[in-house]
Amino acid sequence: MAPEAHQKAHHTVPQLTDRTPTITGREIVAELVPPPQFEHASFENYRPDHDYPSQVAAVEKLQEFVNPRPAGFFSRRRQAKDDLPGIYLDGGFGVGKTHLLAALWHAATGPKYFGTFIEYTALVGALGYQETIKELRSAKLICIDEFELDDPGDTMVMTRLLGELVATGTRVAATSNTPPNSLGEGRFAAQDFLREISAMSANFETLRIDGLDYRRRNVTGQAVAVEPEAREHLVNTLLKRGSKVTEDDFGSLIRHLGTVHPSKYVKVIRDVEVIALRGVFLLTDQSDALRLVAFIDRVYDAEIPIVASGRPLNEVFDDEMMAGGYRKKYQRSQSRMVALTTGELPPHTD
């Protein structure tokens, strides 16, 4: 571990490792809304890349999905795909799928829920399967961001859950992230998605969205790593401002995340304005790496900048991980790390 991880700070800074929150099923349900950065997402403020016509086409299709046109008696549309209760947004990460999913949620009327796959499975764990069905049954629309395909048990639970909800009139929209590939090979996950949800697949129309990762359109592809002295200076300045900053040793944070269920990470970072990390190093344990991915997802949703020293944050996954079955997750997380890390003071807000 880097020597700087052992340096003593001259100030008392709150630490994320001191937070061990609890969360109830009711709290999870109350938070099944789009994350803050998508609070005002709409079809109108989605910025399509016009080099990829499928992005504009996706907006039109989702508008039809949320406001289906009534079909006349002689209409050929009555059994068309437009009438399917589910839609799956398929494409590489960073093409705006979450923005479009949130826009769909905002445009829908009636009871509706928006959450990540982890949040829905955590809800089942907290309330039990039947209580979750009762809680969600009234929904007109359920949006699932980042549908996970690598845990057969959770996938089966979600498939069964969605099957029961669709049978009572709920419409479902889902995304899952896939790695970018300039040649297109392996880029889209529709086949995986439809295979995994087998019994539900006939209810879903696949909406394919091409494009480049928008987070990298105007930024370099490297996470910012600052010198230890620069990190300390930034933290001290933020404290003097009265900003809500936390500072943790990277290894200690990784260990702490192993003691907290990922559904609670949102509470670990609640009310934090800047996260500082000391001594970032290469991870070699897959479980640690996957927990970090889930943590970065929540930090990204909350739009909390990260000031980190040591190894660039997007280089924490070793070669074996990047070549393995979870590489999709790691590539998406790398993209988010590049967007989150900074070496500058965030704007001062009172």
Side-chain angles (χ1 to χ4, degrees):
M1 190 178 299
E4 57 143 322
H6 300 289
Q7 292 176 357
K8 295 292 183 182
H10 299 296
H11 44 256
T12 302
V13 190
Q15 299 180 119
L16 296 177
T17 52
D18 290 334
R19 300 182 174 199
T20 308
T22 59
I23 192 165
T24 66
R26 302 297 171 204
E27 286 179 307
I28 295 173
V29 171
E31 298 207 3
L32 288 178
V33 297
Q37 70 181 116
F38 297 110
E39 184 179 355
H40 303 292
S42 67
F43 295 127
E44 291 72 27
N45 61 27
Y46 173 68
R47 295 186 305 139
D49 185 336
H50 292 283
D51 288 336
Y52 298 92
S54 60
Q55 294 188 14
V56 175
V59 173
E60 296 170 355
K61 176 60 72 173
L62 288 169
Q63 287 174 322
E64 289 179 14
F65 181 78
V66 75
N67 293 305
R69 294 179 300 239
F73 183 79
F74 296 104
S75 172
R76 295 179 182 179
R77 289 186 63 259
R78 284 191 300 148
Q79 299 300 321
K81 281 191 172 183
D82 304 63
D83 301 320
L84 292 175
I87 194 162
Y88 169 62
L89 280 61
D90 181 34
F93 52 71
V95 297
K97 298 190 303 298
T98 300
H99 181 115
L100 289 173
L101 193 68
L104 178 70
W105 186 90
H106 286 298
T109 57
K112 53 192 176 180
Y113 298 103
F114 182 109
T116 64
F117 183 90
I118 286 176
E119 287 172 314
Y120 286 110
T121 55
L123 182 62
V124 174
L127 291 182
Y129 183 82
Q130 290 303 328
E131 283 302 310
T132 300
I133 289 288
K134 289 180 184 177
E135 197 71 43
L136 301 181
R137 185 166 277 152
S138 64
K140 298 295 184 186
L141 174 69
I142 286 181
C143 294
I144 307 168
D145 199 21
E146 301 165 16
F147 202 107
E148 303 282 356
L149 300 176
D150 43 42
D151 187 320
D154 283 347
T155 301
M156 286 178 62
V157 168
M158 281 299 291
T159 300
R160 181 182 166 205
L161 183 76
L162 294 178
E164 291 200 37
L165 294 173
V166 164
T168 57
T170 300
R171 291 165 74 77
V172 178
T175 74
S176 77
N177 286 286
T178 54
N181 187 307
S182 58
L183 300 178
E185 182 181 353
R187 180 171 190 166
F188 297 99
Q191 299 252 340
D192 293 335
F193 175 79
L194 297 176
R195 182 183 66 248
E196 293 294 339
I197 63 167
S198 56
M200 280 286 294
S201 61
N203 292 305
F204 278 85
E205 177 181 5
T206 297
L207 186 57
R208 193 160 153 156
I209 308 172
D210 296 278
L212 300 174
D213 184 347
Y214 77 91
R215 289 180 289 270
R216 295 195 179 189
R217 288 182 198 169
N218 299 308
V219 298
T220 61
Q222 186 72 8
V224 176
V226 301
E227 293 298 321
E229 296 77 13
R231 187 206 67 247
E232 268 203 46
H233 173 72
L234 285 169
V235 169
N236 280 320
T237 304
L238 289 165
L239 287 172
K240 289 175 184 175
R241 274 188 184 180
S243 298
K244 296 175 181 175
V245 58
T246 61
E247 185 175 35
D248 288 87
D249 169 65
F250 182 69
S252 297
L253 177 62
I254 293 296
R255 289 190 294 276
H256 183 63
L257 293 178
T259 69
V260 180
H261 189 277
S263 65
K264 300 174 185 175
Y265 291 173
V266 67
K267 274 194 161 183
V268 170
I269 61 172
R270 180 160 291 167
D271 299 324
V272 176
E273 295 173 338
V274 179
I275 292 171
L277 297 174
R278 300 187 303 269
V280 176
F281 57 85
L282 182 70
L283 295 175
T284 56
D285 182 88
Q286 186 111 264
S287 296
D288 287 344
L290 291 172
R291 282 190 285 266
L292 179 62
V293 167
F295 177 75
I296 290 295
D297 285 345
R298 302 291 75 80
V299 174
Y300 182 77
D301 287 344
E303 298 182 285
I304 303 171
I306 297 174
V307 178
S309 56
R311 192 182 187 92
L313 201 53
N314 65 320
E315 295 180 5
V316 298
F317 308 120
D318 69 17
D319 291 342
E320 188 176 345
M321 292 176 192
M322 295 307 299
Y326 293 107
R327 64 188 179 278
K328 300 177 188 178
K329 292 176 181 288
Y330 298 139
Q331 288 172 328
R332 180 193 71 216
S333 194
Q334 287 175 321
S335 172
R336 293 182 167 187
M337 290 164 173
V338 170
L340 287 169
T341 53
T342 181
E344 301 175 357
L345 285 171
H348 191 186
T349 55
D350 293 319

